[in-house]
Amino acid sequence: MPDEGTTRGGMSDAARGDGTADAQVTVVGHADLTPDTLRLVESALHRRLERLARGPAVVRSGAGSALAFGRAARAAGRRLVVAIPTRDGVPAVPLRPDRLATGELLTLADRVRLLEYDPADRDACVRADERMVADGSLLLAVWDGSPSDGRDATAHLVAFARARGVPVDVVWPEGAARQPRPASSPSPARPPRPRARPGSAVPSCRHVPRGRLDRA
């Protein structure tokens, strides 16, 4: 597992950043942080932002790492840009797990950026993150080192940034943890069909003419 501020290679890519005065810092990371980890990550991100050159902090709205970054950016006096989803130019309703966090991020934001993507489409969310990462000068990745899966694409976005020469700083403080995944519940059993009593007739369905619907 990568330590705070290091990559798997043992050295923070941020140490090789260009350090420009108006460098855009973007964050990606896990959304399923435990409450204690949310505080740990917020503190770690705040320390990072305090040490970096001034510039906008950009995040796509959501729970977990995004919210921790928004709080840290505000505490560090950074200009916070929050990207929200739109459909055909109209802001889209966030997914239920992200609604409270999105509301708080919008109150913290200095600027709101509209991104055309479907928040319910994982691939569309990843493409939105890729656009933000490609526009940035530094990526802060709240990442425990696990591979991408159907729910989380942090590892993919780290690789995406490195392939494009964007410096990456991995943030995963000591003691950090993610929420356990809920166990998949079995499909409810189909109730047995009632059996007709011997000698009883099966009732027929009443015919309803087309175009008419009787309501109870």
Side-chain angles (χ1 to χ4, degrees), residues 38-52 54-55 57 66-81 104-105 107-110:
L38 190 68
R39 290 185 286 271
L40 288 172
V41 168
E42 179 184 342
S43 178
L45 289 170
H46 181 265
R47 291 194 298 271
R48 286 302 195 293
L49 293 171
E50 287 278 288
R51 296 200 301 262
L52 294 171
R54 310 306 294 175
L67 180 58
F69 183 70
R71 291 172 175 174
R74 172 58 70 185
R78 291 266 177 166
R79 287 186 292 121
L80 177 63
V81 180
E104 181 175 342
L105 283 167
T107 66
L108 296 171
D110 296 289

Side-chain angles (χ1 to χ4, degrees), residues 148-171:
S148 294
D149 56 26
R151 186 178 63 164
D152 185 280
T154 305
H156 163 78
L157 293 167
V158 168
F160 177 88
R162 289 173 175 163
R164 282 152 184 78
V166 177
V168 177
D169 195 352
V170 176
V171 178

Side-chain angles (χ1 to χ4, degrees), residues 161-187:
R162 289 173 175 163
R164 282 152 184 78
V166 177
V168 177
D169 195 352
V170 176
V171 178
W172 194 249
E174 185 71 28
R178 296 168 65 183
Q179 299 274 12
R181 295 194 180 193
S184 57
S185 55
S187 302

Side-chain angles (χ1 to χ4, degrees), residues 74-194:
R74 172 58 70 185
R78 291 266 177 166
R79 287 186 292 121
L80 177 63
V81 180
V82 176
I84 63 171
T86 62
R87 304 295 306 276
D88 299 322
V90 178
V93 177
L95 299 182
R96 187 176 297 277
D98 294 326
R99 288 178 189 172
L100 287 177
T102 296
E104 181 175 342
L105 283 167
L106 291 176
T107 66
L108 296 171
D110 296 289
R111 179 184 164 198
V112 175
R113 178 181 176 187
L114 304 180
L115 280 181
E116 187 74 19
Y117 72 95
D118 180 358
D121 184 334
R122 177 187 180 276
D123 291 341
C125 293
V126 172
R127 288 193 296 270
D129 282 329
E130 288 175 347
R131 278 182 279 167
M132 295 194 308
V133 169
D135 288 342
S137 303
L138 169 67
L139 177 66
L140 295 179
V142 181
W143 182 40
D144 64 356
S146 61
S148 294
D149 56 26
R151 186 178 63 164
D152 185 280
T154 305
H156 163 78
L157 293 167
V158 168
F160 177 88
R162 289 173 175 163
R164 282 152 184 78
V166 177
V168 177
D169 195 352
V170 176
V171 178
W172 194 249
E174 185 71 28
R178 296 168 65 183
Q179 299 274 12
R181 295 194 180 193
S184 57
S185 55
S187 302
R190 179 177 297 178
R193 296 180 60 183

